[in-house]
Amino acid sequence: MAVRPQLCEACSIKDLTFCSALHGDEHDELRQLLTHAHYDPHSTIFHEAEDADYVFNVTSGSVKLYKLLGDGRRQITGFLFAGDFLGLALNANYSYTAEAIEPVTACRFPRQKLEKLFDKFPHLEKRMLGMAVDELAAAQDQMLLLGRKTAKEKVASFLLMLARRQELRGESTETINVPMSRSDIADYLGLTIETVSRTLTQLRKESTISLKDNRHIEAVGLDMLEDLAEGL
């Protein structure tokens, strides 16, 4: 569902979004392109191989990105949060499916009209390219997770990633919010659900974390998670 846009200046995460590169009246031209879209939990924002007609900036909630393998298995390739951009495509089609984990709001931009605006505001394109580089770096980090780390190192790295993202949004890291399911975590880390649950239980018994509930985890200290993530 889409609604009329509000003032960009009222956006609580404007410093994290790609439009933070704009100044003053430049925001007005961008705002003429966008609509605010709302997605219910488990609803699809776009499907893999669909025409990449829109790009999105998440303003609240969380999103999972995944690809379906030839044998029907699912590989989650990433999680996005407020401030993240999605829908970037090298060709005319989306290369993955994006699904809302919890209620999500996003600024939605027609891709072709946005690309025309880049000619007028090259600093906006530069900001988007920077976000694309960050996305590539995240993909490389995941390759390391899947290829080289033990189950404990993977889970610790995942929790640390969530905590760092909260920190970037100006949120406390005393409690780590985990909106995704254990199945989602398993598909992201290349583990079974049972291994994810067993590893979390092991970290709890070692007093590294405290499980408040399935969606909230307290870490004794991020430095401990960092050591575990690095295999120390």
Side-chain angles (χ1 to χ4, degrees):
M1 181 178 68
V3 298
R4 294 178 63 186
Q6 300 173 344
L7 291 176
C8 296
E9 290 78 3
C11 178
S12 61
I13 46 91
K14 61 182 180 181
D15 292 337
L16 299 178
T17 63
F18 89 110
C19 49
S20 64
L22 298 178
H23 306 284
D25 294 340
E26 294 175 345
H27 281 285
D28 294 335
E29 294 196 46
L30 181 66
R31 190 160 58 242
Q32 291 175 16
L33 302 183
L34 72 87
T35 53
H36 284 167
H38 299 259
Y39 302 93
D40 294 328
H42 312 301
S43 62
T44 300
I45 299 173
F46 55 78
H47 288 281
E48 181 180 354
E50 280 184 350
D51 292 342
D53 294 332
Y54 294 93
V55 292
F56 306 78
N57 215 144
V58 180
T59 53
S60 69
S62 54
V63 176
K64 61 184 174 185
L65 312 178
Y66 66 87
K67 295 178 71 69
L68 292 177
L69 306 180
D71 58 5
R73 288 180 299 163
R74 180 187 69 167
Q75 176 63 58
I76 291 183
T77 59
F79 297 102
L80 302 182
F81 306 92
D84 286 330
F85 208 83
L86 73 152
L88 295 176
L90 295 177
N91 50 43
N93 305 102
Y94 295 118
S95 58
Y96 50 80
T97 297
E99 180 182 314
I101 296 174
E102 53 188 334
V104 166
T105 62
C107 292
R108 185 176 65 184
F109 304 89
R111 180 181 174 184
Q112 291 185 352
K113 292 183 178 180
L114 185 61
E115 289 175 349
K116 290 180 180 179
L117 199 61
F118 289 157
D119 295 332
K120 188 171 184 179
F121 302 131
H123 46 293
L124 184 63
E125 182 178 25
K126 182 178 179 181
R127 170 65 171 157
M128 180 178 284
L129 289 174
M131 299 181 81
V133 170
D134 290 341
E135 184 177 305
L136 178 60
Q140 292 173 333
D141 286 343
Q142 193 203 18
M143 289 177 63
L144 176 62
L145 275 178
L146 295 178
R148 293 293 181 182
K149 295 196 172 187
T150 66
K152 182 184 286 189
E153 291 167 356
K154 288 180 179 182
V155 172
S157 296
F158 177 72
L159 294 177
L160 186 62
M161 179 271 289
L162 293 180
R164 293 307 186 203
R165 294 307 306 275
Q166 286 181 205
E167 192 173 48
L168 186 63
R169 298 192 299 271
E171 301 172 7
S172 170
T173 58
E174 183 175 339
T175 297
I176 302 173
N177 297 317
V178 188
M180 58 287 297
S181 67
R182 297 292 187 263
S183 176
D184 288 343
I185 298 171
D187 285 349
Y188 178 68
L189 297 178
L191 302 172
T192 65
I193 300 174
E194 292 76 16
T195 299
V196 170
S197 297
R198 185 167 59 249
T199 304
L200 287 171
T201 298
Q202 181 181 0
L203 292 176
R204 178 183 59 79
K205 290 180 177 179
E206 294 172 352
S207 299
T208 302
I209 63 172
S210 174
L211 301 176
K212 298 183 66 175
D213 54 51
N214 284 340
R215 295 292 184 263
H216 300 90
I217 293 175
E218 288 185 353
V220 174
L222 296 187
D223 54 340
M224 294 182 65
L225 286 179
E226 288 176 347
D227 288 344
L228 285 175
E230 296 299 325
L232 302 178

